[in-house]
Amino acid sequence: MNPQQLWDRYKTHFCAVPSLGLSLDISRMNFDDGFFASMAPAMGKAYRAMDALEAGAIANPDEKRMVGHYWLRAPRLAPEPAITKEIEGTVAAIRDFAAKVHSGAVKPEKAPKFTRLLSVGIGGSALGPEFVADALGEPGKDALVAHFVDNTDPDGIARDLEKLGGPLDETITIVMSKSGSTPETRNGMLVVAEAYRKAGLDFAKHAVAVTGVGSKLDQQVQKEGWLARFPMWDWVGGRTSELSAVGLTPGFLQGLDMEAMLEGAAAMDVATRVHDTPKNPAALLALMWHAATDGKGLKDMVVLPYKDRLLLFSRYLQQLVMESLGKQLDLDGNRVDQGISVYGNKGSTDQHAYVQQLRDGVNNFFLTFIRVLEDGGTGLEVEPGVTAGDYLHGFLLGTRSALFANDRHSVTITVPRVDARTIGALIALFERAVGFYATLVNINAYHQPGVEAGKKAAAEVLTLQAKVVGALSSSPQTAEAIAAAIGQPDDAETTYLILQHLAANGRIQGHPASDPASATFAAK
């Protein structure tokens, strides 16, 4: 296309949300003039499904539950007055608790005030809060300095505790787990609680829980008398929980404008609720994903935000998009192997990392550029009439143009600035796009059987480990011999890997060999 044709296409397909200053440009995507008409019936079905979801339909048949993350920013849309009351009461309770922490009315056991927070969670209980904390945090200005434990890696947890940069007696810890038995979160909590004990502190006097009512964690909280507990509801999935207590608790404590985040998400919901596709940015995103991947996940989504504050957005979107859309079976039980892989870093770092492959390598992706109009920082001219922000913007437009010239397609989301309202809007935009796309390809976006399968397999490994350790003696044995001794000869490989790990950590004796079958192990 020549420049005039591109400009005409840009004007024709430009979608703006004036209430947020946000716009979506799909002009550099590959679709023909008849695409929207051909997809209109499927999109109509997607609108109806979304309306039913917001009205409280059982949208997750596997678990027989509603899916209500949209109510979090518009509580009065909830299908039951009790849910409305719960949401409004929870937001008020978290806001009031944070204010008491900031004022010193709620204080630590042996210090005058809390100065930092440590959030312990995984998946949806970590990715959203970490993204928001990094995007909106202001070092030296935040009410509490935010830190996160988001894995069961003991070395990683030790490093996270070191990063606190001060004594634990000024640290409030949030433990987030719906069931209270998620292994990674439970392990992190136990290690962190032990650190408090070693510091001569009562963990309960520094701890807050976000969990399901009546869960194992909820029972522990009440028994031990933690500072506070806030609810996780079964109608909010982890990957859509940032605007629930999961994100609001650390956000309010950090001192972020979480009310503005809720407002931004609510404004985006209004814009993406309309059944007018050219004016609905979430519908357009979903349709562009369908056009780019042929509705079969044939291409990856590369997310390129040209702003340091949005560095973690691609990690957040990985869970939201991939856990929602990565499904083996459709709603009719047919095997479809659906999904869209997501990766990205930030511009213009990507210019010196993988843009070379994007431009000249395998064409197995489409791009999502995020363009931020306000530069922030200093307006220093690094060259006459040119700022560092001008360079960043130039790299974005130049990369977009160079990629399109070589048949690499992209959408561009433009926002005025990175603030709480914008972050809320971006989260809501992609949440609804995921929901629309799932209906277009006839899958359930709100369950995660693959995750549950992984958890079950991990539990089986730990059960096997207990049997392996029980079979050890003072006499060295091979992994094959131990597997046979416990009646599981087909698990010799896993047995070897377990023994190798235990030996490396000094918990058993190991005698390595170049051939795994010849290595021997014994009780310590």
Side-chain angles (χ1 to χ4, degrees):
M1 293 185 190
N2 62 43
Q4 184 60 51
Q5 290 173 317
L6 283 174
W7 172 237
D8 290 341
R9 186 174 168 89
Y10 177 86
K11 291 184 293 182
T12 299
H13 297 290
F14 183 77
C15 177
V17 183
S19 63
L20 290 162
L22 178 147
S23 64
L24 173 67
D25 164 32
I26 61 171
S27 64
R28 264 58 172 183
M29 291 297 287
N30 186 26
F31 59 90
D32 59 33
D33 292 340
F35 175 71
F36 290 103
S38 68
M39 293 297 294
M43 200 62 230
K45 181 181 178 181
Y47 286 133
R48 292 190 295 275
M50 185 63 70
D51 290 347
L53 180 143
E54 287 199 299
I58 299 299
N60 191 343
D62 289 9
E63 301 174 11
K64 302 294 188 293
R65 64 177 174 86
M66 300 181 292
V67 174
H69 47 277
Y70 296 107
W71 312 328
L72 297 171
R73 51 265 196 171
R76 298 195 180 280
L77 292 181
E80 302 169 13
I83 295 177
T84 298
K85 185 177 180 181
E86 276 190 277
I87 297 170
E88 293 176 340
T90 297
V91 174
I94 296 170
R95 182 178 56 237
D96 293 348
F97 175 76
K100 290 177 181 177
V101 169
H102 298 159
S103 70
V106 172
K107 62 182 182 179
E109 183 181 12
K110 297 180 180 180
K113 287 184 73 173
F114 287 110
T115 60
R116 58 188 69 83
L117 71 90
L118 179 64
S119 183
V120 181
I122 194 160
S125 294
L127 290 167
E130 286 183 272
F131 160 53
V132 170
D134 186 57
L136 301 179
E138 296 290 351
K141 297 180 182 179
D142 291 341
L144 299 183
V145 181
H147 299 270
F148 297 87
V149 168
D150 62 0
N151 204 355
T152 187
D153 178 2
D155 180 54
I157 297 171
R159 294 180 69 200
D160 291 331
L161 290 171
E162 284 294 325
K163 290 176 185 175
L164 288 173
L168 278 171
D169 63 0
E170 294 181 9
T171 301
I172 189 169
T173 293
I174 311 164
V175 180
M176 295 198 267
S177 172
K178 184 177 289 186
S179 67
S181 59
T182 303
E184 297 93 335
T185 303
R186 180 202 63 205
N187 297 349
M189 176 187 70
L190 293 174
V191 173
V192 170
E194 178 63 16
Y196 276 93
R197 282 190 285 273
K198 287 182 177 179
L201 300 168
D202 182 350
F203 177 61
K205 289 184 170 60
H206 304 78
V208 175
V210 179
T211 188
V213 175
S215 71
K216 291 182 180 179
L217 179 57
D218 193 30
Q219 294 171 36
Q220 178 182 349
V221 167
Q222 295 184 64
K223 180 181 177 182
E224 297 177 358
W226 289 23
L227 292 175
R229 73 185 196 278
F230 303 107
M232 277 193 192
W233 298 297
D234 64 359
W235 41 266
V236 178
R239 55 190 174 276
T240 56
S241 65
E242 172 54 29
L243 294 172
S244 73
V246 166
L248 297 180
T249 305
F252 273 120
L253 284 170
Q254 188 178 346
L256 307 180
D257 190 352
M258 303 308 288
E259 300 279 10
M261 266 190 67
L262 290 166
E263 291 170 5
M268 180 56 73
D269 286 341
V270 171
T272 56
R273 197 173 284 128
V274 299
H275 293 203
D276 186 351
T277 298
K279 297 179 181 178
N280 187 323
L284 290 175
L285 269 185
L287 286 169
M288 291 304 99
W289 297 353
H290 197 281
T293 70
D294 198 26
K296 299 174 183 177
L298 298 182
K299 289 192 175 185
D300 302 337
M301 183 194 307
V302 180
V303 180
L304 295 182
Y306 275 69
K307 181 62 66 175
D308 285 7
R309 288 181 182 270
L310 298 178
L311 169 65
L312 299 182
F313 192 41
S314 60
R315 286 185 61 201
Y316 171 78
L317 289 179
Q318 280 176 339
Q319 184 188 21
L320 176 63
V321 175
M322 296 174 71
E323 192 168 272
S324 298
L325 303 182
K327 303 295 159 65
Q328 186 178 78
L329 304 177
D330 68 11
L331 291 171
D332 299 319
N334 302 309
R335 181 158 184 169
V336 291
D337 298 320
Q338 275 287 353
I340 298 177
S341 297
V342 178
Y343 65 93
N345 186 11
K346 67 177 182 180
S348 64
T349 297
D350 298 310
Q351 204 80 25
H352 301 273
Y354 54 77
V355 165
Q356 168 62 35
Q357 176 168 312
L358 298 184
R359 174 60 171 74
D360 293 342
V362 58
N363 189 359
N364 62 346
F365 64 91
F366 66 100
L367 297 111
T368 300
F369 288 103
I370 302 180
R371 175 173 170 250
V372 181
L373 294 178
E374 294 182 11
D375 293 336
T378 177
L380 175 72
E381 292 188 358
V382 295
E383 294 176 7
V386 179
T387 68
D390 293 337
Y391 261 107
L392 187 64
H393 189 239
F395 279 126
L396 186 159
L397 296 183
T399 301
R400 172 174 171 268
S401 178
L403 290 170
F404 183 74
N406 205 28
D407 198 34
R408 271 62 170 168
H409 301 106
S410 65
V411 299
T412 300
I413 299 169
T414 297
V415 296
R417 66 194 65 84
V418 177
D419 59 12
R421 205 160 185 268
T422 295
I423 295 298
L426 287 172
I427 287 172
L429 172 63
F430 279 88
E431 283 179 348
R432 199 174 298 258
V434 163
F436 282 148
Y437 183 85
T439 303
L440 292 178
V441 298
N442 194 39
I443 59 171
N444 181 356
Y446 306 109
H447 69 162
Q448 48 281 334
V451 175
E452 301 308 319
K455 291 179 180 178
K456 181 180 178 182
E460 290 172 352
V461 170
L462 294 176
T463 299
L464 177 63
Q465 177 174 305
K467 294 178 181 179
V468 167
V469 172
L472 291 173
S473 67
S474 58
S475 301
Q477 304 173 74
T478 65
E480 290 177 352
I482 294 170
I486 62 176
Q488 296 185 234
D490 292 340
D491 287 330
E493 179 186 354
T494 304
T495 297
Y496 170 75
L497 296 173
I498 289 171
L499 291 164
Q500 187 185 40
H501 174 252
L502 293 172
N505 286 280
R507 294 159 67 184
I508 64 173
Q509 294 184 58
H511 305 281
S514 57
D515 173 18
S518 301
T520 58
F521 304 88
K524 217 173 171 186

